[in-house]
Amino acid sequence: MTSLSTEHQGSGHDDHHDDHHEHAIPKGIKRWLYTTNHKDIGTLYLWFAFIMFLTGGAMAMVIRAELFQPGLQIVEPGFFNQMTTVHGLIMVFGAVMPAFTGLANWLVPMMIGAPDMALPRMNNWSFWILPFAFSILLASLFMEGGGPAFGWTFYAPLSTTYSNDNTALFVFSVHMMGASSIMGAINVIVTIFNMRAPGMTWMKMPLFVWTWLITAFLLIAVMPVLAGAVTMVLTDKFFGTSFFDAAGGGDPVMFQHIFWFFGHPEVYIMILPAFGIISAIVPTFSRKPLFGYASMVYATTSIALLSFIVWAHHMFTTGMPVFAEMFFMLATMLISVPTGVKIFNWVATMWRGSLSFEVPMLFALAFIVLFTIGGLSGLMLAITPLDFQYHDTYFVVAHFHYVLVTGAIFSIMAAVYYWLPKWTGKMFDITLAKWHFWCSLISVNVLFFPMHFVGLAGMPRRIPDYALQFADFNKWISLGGFAFGLSQLIFLALLIKACRKQGDPVSSQVWEGAEGLEWEIPSPAPYHTFETPPVVK
Amino acid sequence: MLQKDYEKYYVPAQSRWPFVGACALFLMAVGAGNLVMEHSKGGIGNSKYLLAVGSAILIVMLVGWFRNQIQESMTGMHCAQLGRSYRQGMAWFIFSEVMFFVAFFGALFYARVISVPWLGGASNNQMTNEVLWPSFQAIWPLLETPDGTKTEQMGWFGLPLINTIILLVSSVTCHMAHVALEANKRGTLKAWLGLTVLLGCTFLFLQVEEYIHAYTEMGLTLQSGVYGNTFFMLTGFHGFHVTIGTLILFIMLLRIMKGHFSPENHFAFQAGSWYWHFVDVVWVMLFFFVYIL
Amino acid sequence: MKRILSNIGMALTSLMTIPAIAETAGKVDQYSLNMTKGVTDISAEVYDLHMLMFIICVVIAIGVFGVMFWSILFHRKSRGVKPAHFHESFKVEIAWTVIPFIILIFMAVPAAKTLIAMEDASEPDLTIIVTGSQWKWHYKYMDDGVEYYSKLATLPDEIKGKLEKGENYLLEVDRPLVIPINKKVRFLITSDDVIHSWWVPDFAVKQDANPGFINDAWAIVNEPGVYRGKCTELCGKDHGFMPVVVIAKEEGAYNEWLSEQKAMLAAAKAEEQRLLAMNMTMEEAMATGEKVYLANCAACHMPNGQGLPGVFPALKGSKIATKDEPRHIEILLNGVAGSAMQSYAKQLSMPDIAAVITYERNAWGNNTGDLVQAKDINAAMNGK
Ligand code: HEA
Ligand code: HEA
Ligand code: CUA
Ligand SMILES: [Cu+2]
């Protein structure tokens, strides 16, 4: 629709628009800096997320190297804490969330038959804030005093009175990430509400669109609360307020309530789009429609609503009154029901289908199994009396890496393999992809499964050194970690090949059995799709 | 496939403003971060310039971006669907602002209902009071903190009440301006809108008075315990929003002077007026929960 | 034996970890793969609950994965299967909403019972105030006036790998907490600075130590023994080096220990008074000072006095440690409000404080020549 020759950009101060007939794609760096195209922005988000994944992963490698054997070998305890903290922050805010936003950018308009996102300029703004925000965060690691060292949950007063001054930079970089997420989420919601092609009724929307709609709602509801939390940390540390200080009538635990009111919905922000992805892939390779579409929508909604009333399951040991512990235990357990519905629906979709096991399906199947393991350990954590033993041990670390790495990250990888041919027009290197899958699958379990045992046996999290009885397991965990890290380099190689447009051309449908609007347009998807909306029957 | 009544959705060409905006936020964040750090070391250094430059770029960016947008709108590039996108976008933005205030109201309720009573020995915290804060009395507003900082209560009568009335009235005048715009009565529109802006300024002026009074005569400061914290953070962020709202409405007034907006097409004005109503509702909540209760 | 078997069973559920198991199978009795049963009724209850939940989860997992793998094996395209077309069934949906719900109720009931039992700290026989601070625990017997600090006893050289690591590496302290068995001991848990968390797995007690608030927990220990735990809330740099050791003794032995402590406390008081009147020589002061410094201060200010820039100030060449002696004393007595620098007035005796100040003012090239005596500290303490 919009066309703009490179000369035009250089000369004009005013943005030029015409009748949307030419299809020239802007060239050079400005294409990326000034773009308003949802596909470009999607690509930017995805590459950014991947780079952050490697960065956060490199920090995880530092963690695993230090924990390879007992004793302090490689890093100082203070630096170890910075690694843990920044690893968590980067993976959550820099890798998983932007990757999902990138997928939403690429896919939501194509899936609902829209020409682009509803607010394309704001879309670009949301993206470009991120590299700046993370460069501030990363730069603080190199400053005197170092980066944040109080965990990604930045509990007060460790993050206030007892942190170093660089905390101010941490606070403002989180503000920026929040602003970016909120704008991204507004864009998704408005696009879905307002830009659906004629006939694309609510209950015809692909589940990826549904899950993202609900995710976006969660984002708008909780990111501002996170902004409030960091703001209070800032004023407590630098301007003499005492929100989190008993001496002034506040309470350090208040911080945790505010943080987890954001934090728990946040973990569902990192998994709901994954559910949407799996709901797209499983039917395709089962050659059978998704079982229980409507119940999937209701289940997603219930998970989102419940996510607002379970936050204190992260705080069972803070000394809440019994009735509160009871309430949060029961509410948390309830979430298993709608989540179970999803798992069962996927299994029922496969039941008596005609299954084939292309790479996206492999990742999707691994997701279902491993996410369920993570979910079940979550359920165990939800039982308050048991959480007294599990809390802040590696059992928790095992839980959340199963839902995040083999959940969120695996779903993102599945999505990339599923839609990459649509984006580039070429089939990716299937041999490499299979290597990537099997290496990842095996190593990720060597990495995270033993964490359950060391956790139960009593190894606390966030420690740079541990007692001797955990030594053997930690060695295996670290080896698994290195192997998993190296496996991701295969993925990197594959992506570089794909972006260079190497590989066999694919048809517009790409996968036998794939259904949906995005499979009706050519591969690669043209720079501008649906200038005139398709009619959905 | 083509529907007869289909209007083309306007997808803007490339624009430099978003990227410029990101740079501006970067400079502001680095500037503000360093400013705070310098402040805590007891002196303010050069980072204030960084913050200023960042803010200036942000303003340039906003002006440039909106100018493009206004041109597009005036030259009829926009369609009804785009108008809906803008409206919905604004509505969700306001929702996010509401949630920001929810965080601080949450802190207020937590302090009132939980932390202060617990410090006074309520619930399962008898020992907290007996061992750690034996002389502490849990009373809200918290005029004497557990560590003995004393302050005074800000009453609701007087300035706060006047301010409430001012904001409520300004909400009405803002609405009247909207009605006048839709009836295409430009003169009345200018009068009502001008009055709204004036009321906004008065509100801000009075709030500054109130702050001065609190600091100089009552010893109620940002540092005086959780009562002062919640008081200043809530009213302060609200005041900040009133400032933004007043500015928006003022710019709308300027645009109306220049002849912008029509009875059918006035998204920017409407967004500004929604924002104003939102700020007003937040104040009513504040007045009730911070001042009266 | 049964426990070991169940542990191995658990381990086998993970095919991926077989190499790890193989290597460690020989040493299984050294440690456990599973949660401890502990030594209190509550901890045993928690363990049983844990196993119940674990088994329910395994059964659910086997069910779900079983069906899934059945499909994967038998409903594959390569076997020429034609896909069915069903994609909805209200009845099935209801069933798999209701059945999990019922399972949850089965899980919630025993959980709620255990929870209520755990949270009832009323009518204790003995109350101990447990206070965390960076990075040590302080124990105070409420009714007996006995109190002391308990901190990591593992040598820095073991951590750095210069010495072989002992059996209880990172799980040993200089002065463990001692409690009687078969008595309801209530722990009142709080903190002087950041949030810590006091965890003894064998008691199934894990309570956060929140500054400014007191949480409670309790235990009735059934068997005498040494029970080891850790701080489990990230509390800064040395969070990993803040173990908890509790020794449970028969009542008689406990009472004996308690009177010993009282006697020791009194003796230490007397010794302090005696030393107050005496003057240390520079050599004595430096020797004692170095010991005190390495034990108490080096964690933050580093053994070489250079601190961690931006986090903990250097003492080497610092203004306070080279010039302002009264402020130096004051900082040790009162700490620095709103910072990690705590007050040492209660933690160290006056002679020790004097010695450590002397040490700081003369070590690492801070050659002030100042010699601070215990009576100077006494004067500063009682002068204010
Ligand atoms: C994607 C992210 C994600 C997801 C989806 C989840 C999902 C769940 N989580 Fe998790 N969680 C985290 C990310 C996530 N979590 C993170 C990051 C932390 C640590 C934060 C920190 O401290 O740093 C954490 C910590 C955490 C805790 C706190 C532990 C502690 O610190 O002590 C708890 C406690 O209740 C918990 C519970 C749950 C539960 C009940 C679910 C449920 O949603 C799971 C539901 C799924 C299933 C149950 C499996 C499938 C269901 C069936 C097959 C149906 C049949 C089942 C039954 C009838 C039982 N999580
Ligand atoms: C989506 C989120 C996400 C993801 C993907 C990961 C991925 C990984 N995480 Fe992490 N993790 C968290 C979220 C995540 N984590 C959070 C929230 C915490 C809590 C933080 C806190 O306590 O505050 C945490 C904490 C955490 C800990 C606990 C630290 C502690 O408590 O002290 C550990 C320890 O093993 C760990 C390990 C790993 C490993 C090995 C990976 C691997 O999957 C990473 C694999 C990727 C790579 C390795 C990158 C690719 C390869 C290269 C760049 C080349 C170099 C490779 C080699 C040299 C081998 N993570
Ligand atoms: Cu104390 Cu961790
Ligand atoms: Cu949670």
Side-chain angles (χ1 to χ4, degrees):
Chain A
M1 45 207 48
T2 305
S3 82
L4 193 58
S5 64
T6 356
E7 303 89 81
H8 253 121
Q9 293 169 32
S11 61
H13 157 262
D14 285 329
D15 287 327
H16 175 79
H17 33 73
D18 62 20
D19 257 336
H20 312 285
H21 282 305
E22 295 161 54
H23 281 266
I25 301 174
K27 293 208 180 59
I29 181 76
K30 282 187 185 162
R31 166 176 175 187
W32 303 103
L33 294 186
Y34 297 163
T35 184
T36 48
N37 180 284
H38 72 103
K39 300 188 181 78
D40 281 352
I41 296 175
T43 307
L44 285 171
Y45 263 115
L46 285 167
W47 271 108
F48 174 76
F50 192 59
I51 292 167
M52 282 296 117
F53 174 66
L54 296 183
T55 315
M59 293 173 186
M61 295 300 105
V62 174
I63 297 174
R64 284 321 322 170
E66 177 56 54
L67 294 176
F68 184 70
Q69 60 184 58
L72 290 178
Q73 289 86 23
I74 299 171
V75 295
E76 291 296 318
F79 188 70
F80 182 90
N81 289 344
Q82 295 172 35
M83 286 291 105
T84 318
T85 306
V86 182
H87 162 71
L89 288 168
I90 287 204
M91 287 302 198
V92 169
F93 295 105
V96 175
M97 289 169 67
F100 280 141
T101 316
L103 291 170
N105 259 293
W106 256 102
L107 298 171
V108 168
M110 294 200 317
M111 285 176 161
I112 63 174
D116 205 299
M117 296 292 276
L119 304 161
R121 276 175 292 218
M122 191 171 86
N123 202 12
N124 192 32
W125 199 19
S126 327
F127 171 75
W128 278 107
I129 288 174
L130 284 180
F132 288 116
F134 282 91
S135 47
I136 297 178
L137 183 65
L138 288 169
S140 72
L141 285 173
F142 301 99
M143 294 171 55
E144 188 183 86
F150 27 67
W152 83 285
T153 51
F154 58 106
Y155 280 9
L158 188 61
S159 60
T160 57
T161 316
Y162 298 88
S163 68
N164 66 48
D165 282 355
N166 296 346
T167 305
L169 293 174
F170 159 81
V171 167
F172 287 113
S173 81
V174 172
H175 274 305
M176 286 172 74
M177 295 170 203
S180 159
S181 299
I182 291 171
M183 288 194 282
I186 290 178
N187 226 327
V188 171
I189 293 203
V190 175
T191 305
I192 296 172
F193 265 86
N194 197 26
M195 306 278 287
R196 278 170 291 132
M200 178 58 78
T201 55
W202 289 109
M203 292 314 256
K204 276 191 190 146
M205 285 192 331
L207 264 169
F208 181 73
V209 179
W210 257 116
T211 51
W212 238 111
L213 177 67
I214 292 164
T215 303
F217 171 75
L218 288 180
L219 276 166
I220 301 180
V222 302
M223 290 310 284
V225 176
L226 174 69
V230 286
T231 306
M232 288 183 234
V233 163
L234 185 80
T235 58
D236 259 24
K237 178 161 180 60
F238 294 103
F239 301 105
T241 59
S242 38
F243 288 105
F244 312 132
D245 181 359
D251 182 353
V253 175
M254 183 202 316
F255 171 83
Q256 299 179 28
H257 281 287
I258 299 173
F259 179 84
W260 288 115
F261 183 81
F262 146 80
H264 187 80
E266 167 70 20
V267 308
Y268 292 111
I269 288 167
M270 293 189 283
I271 206 67
L272 293 185
F275 292 162
I277 291 165
I278 304 305
S279 304
I281 293 176
V282 169
T284 297
F285 299 100
S286 304
R287 293 169 183 77
K288 197 164 148 267
L290 181 69
F291 189 87
Y293 172 90
S295 69
M296 285 298 218
V297 173
Y298 303 138
T300 313
T301 318
S302 328
I303 294 175
L305 292 178
L306 282 171
S307 78
F308 284 106
I309 55 162
V310 301
W311 75 87
H313 63 221
H314 296 271
M315 304 165 50
F316 284 141
T317 61
T318 56
M320 287 184 294
V322 195
F323 71 87
E325 290 177 333
M326 198 79 85
F327 170 81
F328 285 108
M329 170 172 87
L330 298 175
T332 304
M333 292 171 75
L334 268 186
I335 294 193
S336 311
V337 175
T339 315
V341 168
K342 290 187 158 284
I343 309 268
F344 300 141
N345 279 335
W346 291 324
V347 173
T349 306
M350 288 160 63
W351 187 253
R352 295 189 43 218
S354 170
L355 275 62
S356 60
F357 303 93
E358 283 84 349
V359 178
M361 183 65 162
L362 291 175
F363 272 99
L365 294 176
F367 171 96
I368 299 177
V369 173
L370 300 174
F371 172 79
T372 303
I373 293 179
L376 291 171
S377 64
L379 184 65
M380 294 171 76
L381 289 165
I383 314 284
T384 314
L386 300 183
D387 187 63
F388 288 138
Q389 292 285 48
Y390 305 142
H391 177 67
D392 266 343
T393 66
Y394 264 76
F395 191 78
V396 179
V397 179
H399 157 66
F400 67 72
H401 282 96
Y402 265 89
V403 283
L404 281 169
V405 180
T406 58
I409 296 282
F410 268 33
S411 81
I412 291 164
M413 286 170 178
V416 169
Y417 284 121
Y418 188 55
W419 281 290
L420 193 58
K422 172 57 64 187
W423 301 337
T424 63
K426 302 285 164 62
M427 184 49 78
F428 49 80
D429 184 331
I430 293 177
T431 321
L432 274 188
K434 292 213 157 144
W435 272 100
H436 175 223
F437 173 73
W438 288 107
C439 291
S440 296
L441 180 72
I442 294 170
S443 58
V444 86
N445 284 290
V446 179
L447 166 57
F448 294 123
F449 206 85
M451 285 187 182
H452 291 111
F453 302 130
V454 280
L456 290 176
M459 177 164 160
R461 58 193 280 211
R462 294 167 166 169
I463 55 172
D465 192 5
Y466 47 84
L468 298 180
Q469 76 257 39
F470 310 121
D472 295 328
F473 272 137
N474 271 289
K475 194 162 75 193
W476 282 105
I477 294 171
S478 288
L479 290 175
F482 302 146
F484 184 69
L486 290 175
S487 315
Q488 303 323 308
L489 298 181
I490 308 177
F491 192 39
L492 176 65
L494 181 143
L495 288 176
I496 291 174
K497 274 181 89 174
C499 285
R500 291 195 172 163
K501 309 263 162 144
Q502 294 170 0
D504 305 329
V506 290
S507 71
S508 61
Q509 200 192 9
V510 183
W511 312 104
E512 176 201 342
E515 274 176 38
L517 280 179
E518 80 268 31
W519 306 111
E520 284 167 23
I521 51 179
S523 308
Y527 198 55
H528 297 292
T529 31
F530 304 125
E531 288 175 54
T532 49
V535 177
V536 183
K537 277 154 281 174
Chain B
M1 289 286 257
L2 239 178
Q3 277 180 307
K4 254 214 206 113
D5 57 347
Y6 172 69
E7 277 184 291
K8 199 161 270 174
Y9 194 83
Y10 175 70
V11 178
Q14 289 212 320
S15 165
R16 67 171 60 121
W17 298 121
F19 183 75
V20 172
C23 297
L25 290 186
F26 174 67
L27 294 179
M28 286 170 72
V30 175
N34 281 298
L35 193 65
V36 170
M37 286 154 72
E38 288 163 1
H39 156 87
S40 88
K41 295 201 178 82
I44 285 180
N46 292 326
S47 51
K48 59 175 179 283
Y49 301 115
L50 208 54
L51 180 58
V53 170
S55 315
I57 297 178
L58 189 74
I59 290 170
V60 171
M61 173 282 244
L62 287 172
V63 171
W65 188 331
F66 284 127
R67 189 195 288 150
N68 281 354
Q69 196 126 358
I70 292 163
Q71 263 163 13
E72 289 158 13
S73 157
M74 306 285 279
T75 47
M77 310 294 303
H78 292 180
C79 59
Q81 198 185 9
L82 187 72
R84 277 202 300 281
S85 288
Y86 284 158
R87 279 184 178 70
Q88 290 178 4
M90 186 67 193
W92 287 104
F93 169 67
I94 290 179
F95 175 61
S96 80
E97 292 270 50
V98 169
M99 291 308 293
F100 184 72
F101 277 98
V102 163
F104 288 93
F105 274 108
L108 171 67
F109 293 137
Y110 188 93
R112 283 188 67 151
V113 180
I114 298 180
S115 73
V116 167
W118 281 12
L119 288 164
S123 180
N124 52 356
N125 276 275
Q126 192 195 348
M127 297 311 281
T128 300
N129 184 256
E130 273 176 29
V131 178
L132 298 177
W133 314 105
S135 58
F136 174 67
Q137 298 270 321
I139 301 168
W140 191 267
L142 185 70
L143 301 183
E144 184 174 354
T145 63
D147 69 355
T149 311
K150 288 203 178 68
T151 183
E152 280 175 42
Q153 178 177 8
M154 180 62 80
W156 61 271
F157 206 72
L159 273 189
L161 184 62
I162 296 173
N163 257 350
T164 309
I165 294 167
I166 289 177
L167 268 198
L168 284 175
V169 171
S170 80
S171 229
V172 175
T173 56
C174 187
H175 180 71
M176 297 309 288
H178 194 186
V179 173
L181 175 55
E182 285 188 327
N184 209 8
K185 294 185 186 145
R186 310 285 294 191
T188 338
L189 164 63
K190 283 173 203 162
W192 282 123
L193 192 56
L195 187 58
T196 314
V197 172
L198 216 66
L199 286 170
C201 294
T202 322
F203 175 90
L204 286 171
F205 176 77
L206 290 181
Q207 193 168 8
V208 171
E209 286 287 295
E210 184 189 15
Y211 277 14
I212 293 174
H213 175 66
Y215 262 80
T216 54
E217 281 149 54
M218 298 169 60
L220 178 62
T221 69
L222 189 61
Q223 284 84 19
S224 50
V226 79
Y227 173 61
N229 302 161
T230 48
F231 176 83
F232 281 106
M233 294 293 268
L234 276 165
T235 57
F237 273 115
H238 176 264
F240 177 68
H241 282 78
V242 175
T243 316
I244 306 264
T246 312
L247 270 174
I248 297 178
L249 291 183
F250 182 64
I251 292 166
M252 293 308 124
L253 188 60
L254 293 183
R255 286 185 63 186
I256 287 165
M257 302 283 197
K258 280 179 77 178
H260 290 192
F261 301 131
S262 67
E264 300 79 35
N265 197 351
H266 50 265
F267 161 70
F269 177 86
Q270 195 168 35
S273 114
W274 281 352
Y275 198 77
W276 195 251
H277 293 311
F278 146 71
V279 164
D280 192 29
V281 171
V282 172
W283 177 262
V284 174
M285 304 287 283
L286 270 177
F287 184 61
F288 192 69
F289 290 113
V290 177
Y291 289 94
I292 296 187
L293 272 189
Chain C
M1 191 56 201
K2 218 172 149 191
R3 168 142 148 225
I4 294 168
L5 278 181
S6 76
N7 290 341
I8 294 173
M10 256 190 83
L12 287 178
T13 52
S14 154
L15 291 173
M16 305 304 171
T17 48
I18 281 179
I21 308 294
E23 177 174 332
T24 53
K27 309 178 205 156
V28 158
D29 55 301
Q30 265 182 27
Y31 60 89
S32 156
L33 297 165
N34 198 356
M35 184 190 285
T36 170
K37 256 199 167 101
V39 289
T40 67
D41 293 351
I42 289 285
S43 71
E45 221 175 287
V46 167
Y47 172 82
D48 291 340
L49 195 59
H50 160 69
M51 287 318 285
L52 175 70
M53 299 301 157
F54 173 68
I55 287 163
I56 294 179
C57 286
V58 169
V59 170
I60 292 174
I62 290 175
V64 175
F65 300 159
V67 177
M68 190 173 145
F69 279 101
W70 185 276
S71 286
I72 290 178
L73 288 178
F74 297 108
H75 304 155
R76 40 168 80 213
K77 193 183 171 216
S78 54
R79 295 176 137 232
V81 178
K82 290 269 163 302
H85 292 288
F86 65 86
H87 59 88
E88 237 167 9
S89 162
F90 189 65
K91 276 185 213 149
V92 173
E93 298 277 359
I94 291 294
W96 65 41
T97 309
V98 173
I99 294 171
F101 191 77
I102 293 170
I103 299 178
L104 290 181
I105 294 175
F106 271 102
M107 298 169 92
V109 171
K113 269 194 200 136
T114 309
L115 178 61
I116 288 170
M118 286 176 103
E119 292 289 346
D120 177 17
S122 58
E123 293 170 31
D125 300 315
L126 171 69
T127 299
I128 299 170
I129 300 185
V130 178
T131 310
S133 69
Q134 287 179 322
W135 292 280
K136 51 190 167 274
W137 294 102
H138 179 257
Y139 300 115
K140 180 173 177 186
Y141 293 74
M142 267 260 270
D143 310 317
D144 302 291
V146 172
E147 59 179 303
Y148 53 88
Y149 278 89
S150 167
K151 52 179 187 280
L152 180 73
T154 302
L155 300 171
D157 280 351
E158 288 180 58
I159 297 172
K160 290 263 151 62
K162 290 181 197 145
L163 263 180
E164 215 199 313
K165 298 178 176 38
E167 189 191 350
N168 291 314
Y169 178 67
L170 295 188
L171 291 175
E172 51 204 342
V173 296
D174 53 355
R175 296 182 74 181
L177 177 68
V178 178
I179 57 171
I181 58 167
N182 297 330
K183 286 255 151 75
K184 185 164 187 174
V185 184
R186 177 170 66 152
F187 306 103
L188 297 180
I189 299 166
T190 181
S191 163
D192 278 341
D193 39 45
V194 299
I195 304 177
H196 303 264
S197 192
W198 196 76
W199 182 31
V200 183
D202 285 303
F203 304 168
V205 165
K206 184 186 283 149
Q207 254 319 312
D208 286 5
N210 299 324
F213 290 82
I214 289 183
N215 278 329
D216 57 14
W218 62 275
I220 302 176
V221 179
N222 298 331
E223 294 164 36
V226 184
Y227 304 111
R228 297 173 198 276
K230 292 220 123 189
C231 173
T232 48
E233 180 61 61
L234 177 62
C235 52
K237 181 170 82 66
D238 283 350
H239 160 62
F241 305 94
M242 203 177 150
V244 174
V245 180
V246 184
I247 300 183
K249 296 190 176 201
E250 305 275 0
E251 195 174 358
Y254 167 75
N255 285 333
E256 210 169 283
W257 174 85
L258 198 63
S259 28
E260 245 168 54
Q261 294 302 308
K262 284 182 188 158
M264 264 169 58
L265 225 69
K269 277 256 162 59
E271 176 73 359
E272 189 174 12
Q273 287 304 316
R274 192 176 69 83
L275 286 174
L276 265 187
M278 293 185 20
N279 281 335
M280 288 178 280
T281 67
M282 194 65 170
E283 287 71 41
E284 278 168 359
M286 287 298 281
T288 323
E290 181 169 14
K291 246 192 276 156
V292 177
Y293 182 84
L294 290 177
N296 294 285
C297 323
C300 296
H301 297 290
M302 297 291 121
N304 57 13
Q306 285 174 345
L308 289 176
V311 188
F312 304 117
L315 300 179
K316 180 181 171 173
S318 97
K319 228 196 217 136
I320 293 174
T322 54
K323 299 206 173 75
D324 194 350
E325 188 180 300
R327 174 77 189 135
H328 198 163
I329 297 178
E330 193 194 324
I331 285 187
L332 267 154
L333 293 181
N334 301 329
V336 179
S339 87
M341 184 63 207
Q342 51 203 286
S343 154
Y344 282 88
K346 270 176 31 194
Q347 306 190 29
L348 300 175
S349 70
M350 289 186 222
D352 281 354
I353 294 180
V356 78
I357 293 176
T358 307
Y359 177 73
E360 283 174 352
R361 301 185 77 79
N362 294 287
W364 329 294
N366 281 0
N367 301 318
T368 57
D370 297 340
L371 177 56
V372 180
Q373 298 291 1
K375 57 175 183 284
D376 303 331
I377 306 296
N378 193 24
M381 235 171 152
N382 300 324
K384 64 175 174 97

